Amino acid sequence: MPQAKPELKLSEPLVEEADISDFHPSSEVFQYTNNFSLPPSTAASSASPSVTSLNESFQDLPETPQLQRKQSLGHLQSPSTPTFNFNSVQALDRIKQRPGLPRSYSLPRVDQVEVKVKPRKRIVDVESIVVEPEVLRKLRRWIMGVAIVEFDLDDGPVVDAVVPSLFLLPSESNNIAFAAFPDSPQFEQGEQCHSFRLREQLSSDYDMKRPATKDGYIYGFSHFTQKRDETSKRGYRQRSVVILTQHQYPALFTSLVSILGPLFQKHGSPMLEAACHNIATWYDASFDLYRAGPIMEKNRSNPKPGETLELGFLGTVVHVEIPHTLDQFQLTETSSFNEKYDPKLHVLASCTPFYPPPLLLFEACLSNMWSIWECLVLCEPLLVFGQSPAQTSQAIWWLRDLLRPIPLAGDIRPYFTMQDGDHASLVNKLPPKAGLIIGVTNPFFEKSCAHWPHVLSLGKQNAAPSGVKTAGPITALNGASAGPSPGWKTKTHRRYISKDRALLKELEIAARGDDRQKLRASFALRRHFCSRTTDLIAPLARYLNTLIPSPQEVARARSYKSTLRLKPFSSASFFASLKANGCTLPFKSSAKRVQFYERWLKSPSFGMWLAHQESIVQDILNTPVNLSATPSLA
Amino acid sequence: MAETASGSQDKSVQVKLVLLGEAAVGKSSVVLRFVSNEFQPNKEPTIGAAFLTQKCRLEDRILRYEIWDTAGQERFHSLAPMYYRNAQAAVVVYDVTKATSLEKAKSWVKELQRQANPNIVIALAGNKVDLVQSSSSSSGASSSPDSEDEADDATATPGETPGSPGEPESLRQVPREEAQAYAQEAGLLFFETSAKTGEGIVEVFTEIAKKIPIEHILAASRNNSGRPGAGGRGNNAREENVNLQDDQAKTKDACNC
């Protein structure tokens, strides 16, 4: 192990390379006496080899280690030291009382302060994992890397390694470290999967240092374990294995990390190596980004989107359907598997994981689902509370799914912590941004988001957290469940559409049934809102079809070689069309119908949807293939 | 022909098959020959395990092999159980020009018999037989002393190093009779193969296909958590012996993939 590395790095000359704009504007001062700024996780033990784990992530940099470049910046934001008020004795109690060290709440507390800083032994021998450039290129079609996050007793969560080595800013690395762990105790011993979404903080100058994301966000899929460990001072070992990817395929990556996590625990580094090489042999996942890349291996052509892939992963074959676009609703009924869709066997990539049955999340608010759906469509900000990150992330992805085929206009965070670099910009005194949906487990958010219009609290009263596999008994750790009690609370929203009472009845019965009934009901609920969304769009699609240039106009425009486009959208004529043709969405009254559409037409998601329709039409009209082809909108 | 990891499953029977054996004996080359009918002289070492699929017709049945081609290198040894877990078939490969590789193969067979699915069909394949052809078998002459180290080049073969031309017979370190006797005793299918020329490759997979208790897989696969091989299967297929010569002759083209 490279013991001397940290010192070496420190003695290197400083080169100013940083652009202040790389860092988040809401600056807080690092609390360390150390004047070189590592993420808090490693700063405390600068002499330990753990520092090298950071150096690893910078190895792509030409010569200037990032560690020093910030030295001159002085004031830096530290995402891990949010300015919340410790007015809760309970919370204070849970935080390790050490000045200068950020803590999360995820550990059984210790009262003793460790004085000696022991060098932390890295569990992943990154040097031994060599990934050929070609393998790396193929691997990165699917994932950016796999991060191993350790809970260091002195330093809190720390990214131990990312394989293959991935350039991350210290703030990003810190973000990943905190997002990888639950921020409340989950179980005495056990494992759990959750996901998160982090904003990339790299400025365009650093673009070449790591693979491009698709939307400026990194998606993390974490497998967290907590085990008794005699060798640890606190008697427990906590670790997360995190798949970092540019793709929004929650069901797929949750399923992958739930395979990889336990195997990594058992076998260590060779498992990461094997996983990376497996993934590198898969087909191209990103049909748009890399289509121009080199030809696939012989006998392998790119699959058509919508096709089923068989992905061999560490001894398991994962059958997965990749959607045509992220806004396509992947139906369980018409999935492309050659047999009936079986949630145990098949993965619809863009869906939320279907285990445990999502119905469990909404048990306390089944009768409010219609209001919740309306809020989603109208881009209302939502605060979602859960007992575990597993719950919140499953719920957020589920809600996103219900919106399809309407594009996602707002920012969603399946699991959001106070240590997130965006905490100050998303959660502050201002009204929350349109379409913002965050999943949280920390009860502090109840206070800091007190002014938010809607709160959805998951689960049912007094229920044990779902989605948790426990090896030991669930102790009283969950305690008197902090945060709002399960259910839907809104200050402003009044429902426009009617509930489907028959379905509601069905859901309520299923909620008392077994897992299979709950899963079936979950699918029924999903299908129901899928058709509601379709009903919502139908009058607009009908109206848009009248805006498509007629064949004569097309012919004329083509002879002048002018660009063809959809005629301008007019609200007035849309409402006239709505009035004349009606709508299958069961509004409570026609006045409500008009009000609802008026609101929706002003929402960012309508804007995105319309822009998308316009580009579809324009693409078809301006493709000089078939003059008689008339576009039509779904 | 080579139907790799794309969707279509049809109504075929899924068979999980694992390849095991020492580094550089040619496991990946055997698979490549079977799946793509190709040969690459200098194939890079496998890391972890590669996954490939190939369909195979046997009489009126279509088998679909899900092949896990494992890494031979020692550091990946501990990962092997997850590849042979629930496997219905295994091909244990050794290199006829390297005596130690048979010893390694034997230890793999032992491990499989101890820890894998009790009904797993195991085939022993002595690869690189093209290097020792031109006369019959045997002569346990110890030629160029192979170092015990893992070769960097996965398919490093003594015959291909310049300076040791000809004398194919002297390259053989594992007499056919010896390996065959061992296979018989351990209840394994036995073949000598050459991924380079294609000799014996299809036969390996055809004979395995014949020996797999298909009906049991069909019955078990969709009942027990849907994973082929997850359920137990009845009779011990390993009991019966196989007349290699006859079978090979008969089934030359049985596997028209």
Side-chain angles (χ1 to χ4, degrees), chain A residues 327-355:
Chain A
D327 299 324
Q328 182 207 337
F329 191 88
Q330 291 189 277
L331 282 165
T332 51
E333 291 81 5
T334 56
S335 57
S336 58
F337 307 101
N338 272 326
E339 51 196 345
K340 197 168 169 285
Y341 172 77
D342 176 348
K344 279 206 192 86
L345 282 179
H346 302 134
V347 177
L348 298 170
S350 68
C351 296
T352 200
F354 289 139
Y355 189 82

Side-chain angles (χ1 to χ4, degrees), chain A residues 125-273:
Chain A
D125 183 10
V126 186
E127 285 79 16
S128 76
I129 301 180
V130 182
V131 181
E132 306 277 320
E134 180 61 6
V135 173
L136 185 65
R137 188 189 66 75
K138 290 179 180 169
L139 170 76
R140 293 235 154 113
R141 298 180 306 204
W142 289 87
I143 69 167
M144 300 170 81
V146 179
I148 306 301
V149 186
E150 288 285 291
F151 196 97
D152 188 279
L153 291 191
D154 297 311
D155 307 327
V158 49
V159 174
D160 188 78
V162 183
V163 176
S165 160
L166 179 74
F167 177 85
L168 292 170
L169 289 173
S171 55
E172 291 174 320
S173 172
N174 192 51
N175 235 350
I176 290 167
F178 276 97
F181 284 103
D183 65 359
S184 60
Q186 296 296 314
F187 33 67
E188 203 256 310
Q189 290 198 85
E191 53 184 295
Q192 197 178 70
C193 290
H194 73 269
S195 46
F196 54 84
R197 181 179 194 239
L198 300 176
R199 195 169 50 81
E200 263 196 303
Q201 286 164 26
L202 272 187
S203 73
S204 52
D205 299 346
Y206 293 94
D207 264 348
M208 300 312 290
K209 294 200 170 70
R210 71 171 178 223
T213 57
K214 302 184 129 203
D215 54 3
Y217 290 87
I218 298 172
Y219 296 86
F221 295 87
S222 175
H223 178 268
F224 163 74
T225 47
Q226 177 165 305
K227 268 203 294 227
R228 261 194 225 103
D229 178 6
E230 296 306 317
T231 64
S232 163
K233 194 139 200 169
R234 295 198 188 176
Y236 288 88
R237 160 173 281 287
Q238 294 174 304
R239 178 185 289 164
S240 287
V241 176
V242 186
I243 295 179
L244 300 171
T245 172
Q246 63 275 40
H247 296 291
Q248 278 187 58
Y249 296 146
L252 171 62
F253 289 108
T254 303
S255 134
L256 296 180
V257 83
S258 69
I259 295 170
L260 174 62
L263 289 171
F264 174 77
Q265 297 285 354
K266 208 166 151 200
H267 300 283
S269 303
M271 187 56 68
L272 287 184
E273 213 177 338

Side-chain angles (χ1 to χ4, degrees), chain A residues 81 91 179 201 239 269 275 311 393 594 631 633:
Chain A
T81 53
Q201 286 164 26
R239 178 185 289 164
S269 303
L311 307 176
S393 46
V594 172
L633 291 158

Side-chain angles (χ1 to χ4, degrees), chain A residues 222-472:
Chain A
S222 175
H223 178 268
F224 163 74
T225 47
Q226 177 165 305
K227 268 203 294 227
R228 261 194 225 103
D229 178 6
E230 296 306 317
T231 64
S232 163
K233 194 139 200 169
R234 295 198 188 176
Y236 288 88
R237 160 173 281 287
Q238 294 174 304
R239 178 185 289 164
S240 287
V241 176
V242 186
I243 295 179
L244 300 171
T245 172
Q246 63 275 40
H247 296 291
Q248 278 187 58
Y249 296 146
L252 171 62
F253 289 108
T254 303
S255 134
L256 296 180
V257 83
S258 69
I259 295 170
L260 174 62
L263 289 171
F264 174 77
Q265 297 285 354
K266 208 166 151 200
H267 300 283
S269 303
M271 187 56 68
L272 287 184
E273 213 177 338
C276 288
H277 279 82
N278 271 170
I279 295 174
T281 63
W282 296 350
Y283 285 124
D284 205 333
S286 47
F287 307 104
D288 45 348
L289 262 188
Y290 298 92
R291 196 152 38 189
I295 317 148
M296 303 277 96
E297 302 94 299
K298 266 186 198 163
N299 298 316
R300 295 190 179 198
S301 54
N302 272 339
K304 293 179 207 86
E307 225 177 31
T308 312
L309 303 183
E310 263 186 321
L311 307 176
F313 189 60
L314 305 176
T316 304
V317 184
V318 180
H319 299 259
V320 58
E321 182 190 284
I322 304 289
H324 290 87
T325 69
L326 273 183
D327 299 324
Q328 182 207 337
F329 191 88
Q330 291 189 277
L331 282 165
T332 51
E333 291 81 5
T334 56
S335 57
S336 58
F337 307 101
N338 272 326
E339 51 196 345
K340 197 168 169 285
Y341 172 77
D342 176 348
K344 279 206 192 86
L345 282 179
H346 302 134
V347 177
L348 298 170
S350 68
C351 296
T352 200
F354 289 139
Y355 189 82
L359 190 72
L360 291 164
L361 301 167
F362 306 106
E363 271 185 87
C365 58
L366 287 177
S367 66
N368 304 113
M369 290 310 291
W370 288 265
S371 294
I372 296 170
W373 175 82
E374 287 179 357
C375 285
L376 285 172
V377 169
L378 296 171
C379 291
E380 286 287 305
L382 291 184
L383 176 66
V384 180
F385 264 97
Q387 285 161 319
S388 66
Q391 271 192 344
T392 62
S393 46
Q394 191 189 18
I396 303 292
W397 288 119
W398 166 273
L399 296 175
R400 191 274 170 265
D401 191 35
L402 291 192
L403 257 186
R404 293 189 165 104
I406 299 173
L408 186 67
D411 191 354
I412 61 167
R413 303 300 177 104
Y415 170 54
F416 190 68
T417 70
M418 300 210 292
Q419 287 81 14
D420 195 288
D422 285 341
H423 179 257
S425 64
L426 296 185
V427 176
N428 48 42
K429 293 217 155 60
L430 301 169
K433 290 173 186 140
L436 176 62
I437 307 176
I438 63 172
V440 301
T441 62
N442 192 326
F444 277 113
F445 281 100
E446 195 176 9
K447 218 168 165 152
S448 54
C449 299
H451 59 297
W452 284 41
H454 322 285
V455 178
L456 169 61
S457 187
L458 305 168
K460 73 172 178 192
Q461 222 86 35
N462 305 324
S466 60
V468 179
K469 253 200 274 173
T470 44

